[in-house]
Each structure stands twice: as structure tokens, then as C-alpha cells.
Amino acid sequence: MYKLVENFLSEEEILYLKQVSISCLDRPTFTPLSQMTSLHQKVLEEARSFTEIPKVGGVEQWSFHADYNQLPDWHQDRDEELFNTTEELSFPLCSCILYLDIHKLEGANLEVDKKVIVPETGMLVLLKPAVWHRVSKYISGKRHSINYNFWDKPIYNS
């Protein structure tokens, strides 16, 4: 259902992702396979050790910052535009949460089924397709993450 990898990211990778995350704050972007970075590939390699991923067409990414937006309640990662347009469900091959900056955080924990995952800077959490999860109520502190969803095809309207 999920896999947790502590200390997955180096300090340099965290700094790089903090810069990248500005462009996808609350705005998903899709990167085709041919343009995926070495960091996308590193996460994909870890995802392949967790779940079957035969073919990748690209990665969707977006970021969350507890100070700037409402964190998601119970949901499954899916192709949102496809669902909103056609009501068809399509799930990514693997959902990945990379924690970039966690500081004095109260609340805003990841909940998967009945398990509570307390975020830590540099941590990676992988979710299998269609897994229900949410972020608990944010109280205070800093929670900055970037999410990757690997797809076998481009997402709707990408």
C-alpha cells in the first residue's frame, strides 16, 4: 500500500526541489519521459523497487506549502481533468511525496488507511495506485513538499 524511505534526499537535492517547487505550487505540471530530470529518475527507480511500473510516459508534479493552501482531505490521486470532464477514473502508476522542509510541524501528517506518517525533511513516501490518503489538519509550523505521480501516458489535456 505504501513505502516510507527516510533520508532519501540530499541537501543539494532538497535545495534544487525547493526552487523547482515554486513553479508548481498548487499547479500540477506534466513532464514527458524525454524531459524527466535525474531526480525524477532517482524517484522512479525507488518506485520501481516498490511496485510494478512497466512503462512510463511522464511525471506529473505539484507542490504544497502548509502556509499557502488548504491541504487535501481523503482522496485518491487521479487524473483530475479527465475525471472532471468525463467522470472516468485513471490512476497514476505510483504517487510519490517528497518532503522538502519540515520544521516545528504540528498536524499536517500523512494518513494512509489507519497509519499516521509524521513527515520529516528528506523523506520519501510512495503510494500504490488508487490508495486513499489525506493530510490531517494543519496547526502550525512549516510543511513544504513536492509530489510526483508517474503515468504510463500523458494525462488529460497535458
Side-chain angles (χ1 to χ4, degrees):
M1 182 178 299
Y2 76 92
K3 178 181 179 181
L4 186 148
V5 183
E6 294 179 345
N7 301 311
F8 180 77
L9 297 170
S10 70
E11 288 184 30
E12 295 81 22
E13 290 167 332
I14 289 170
L15 288 173
Y16 168 76
L17 286 174
K18 282 182 177 181
Q19 293 172 343
V20 168
S21 72
I22 294 168
S23 67
C24 61
L25 183 62
D26 270 345
R27 260 192 340 252
T29 60
F30 185 81
T31 303
L33 177 64
S34 62
Q35 296 173 17
M36 284 174 38
T37 67
S38 60
L39 199 44
H40 289 131
Q41 295 292 344
K42 178 182 175 179
V43 176
L44 177 59
E45 185 177 316
E46 189 67 36
R48 282 189 162 133
S49 75
F50 167 64
T51 190
E52 186 176 332
I53 301 178
K55 174 187 152 194
V56 173
V59 62
E60 174 188 24
Q61 66 185 31
W62 69 98
S63 64
F64 283 118
H65 204 298
D67 297 341
Y68 301 135
N69 56 27
Q70 188 175 26
L71 296 168
D73 203 354
W74 288 108
H75 69 284
Q76 297 167 297
D77 290 344
R78 62 187 181 197
D79 185 333
E80 290 295 335
E81 284 197 47
L82 177 67
F83 181 78
N84 292 338
T85 303
T86 67
E87 296 187 4
E88 180 183 338
L89 287 172
S90 179
F91 301 110
L93 302 166
C94 186
S95 298
C96 311
I97 305 151
L98 296 144
Y99 292 104
L100 308 180
D101 194 359
I102 306 299
H103 185 71
K104 295 184 179 179
L105 185 64
E106 290 186 54
N109 296 315
L110 177 65
E111 296 180 11
V112 180
D113 194 24
K114 295 181 182 181
K115 174 71 175 168
V116 175
I117 299 168
V118 178
E120 295 177 13
T121 300
M123 178 187 284
L124 168 67
V125 178
L126 304 169
L127 302 174
K128 291 200 176 194
V131 169
W132 285 94
H133 58 286
R134 77 172 186 156
V135 178
S136 65
K137 183 180 178 191
Y138 167 79
I139 298 168
S140 66
K142 184 180 272 188
R143 181 193 185 278
H144 185 177
S145 65
I146 191 165
N147 299 30
Y148 291 170
N149 282 348
F150 290 102
W151 293 89
D152 56 353
K153 58 190 176 293
I155 55 177
Y156 193 76
N157 281 339
S158 63

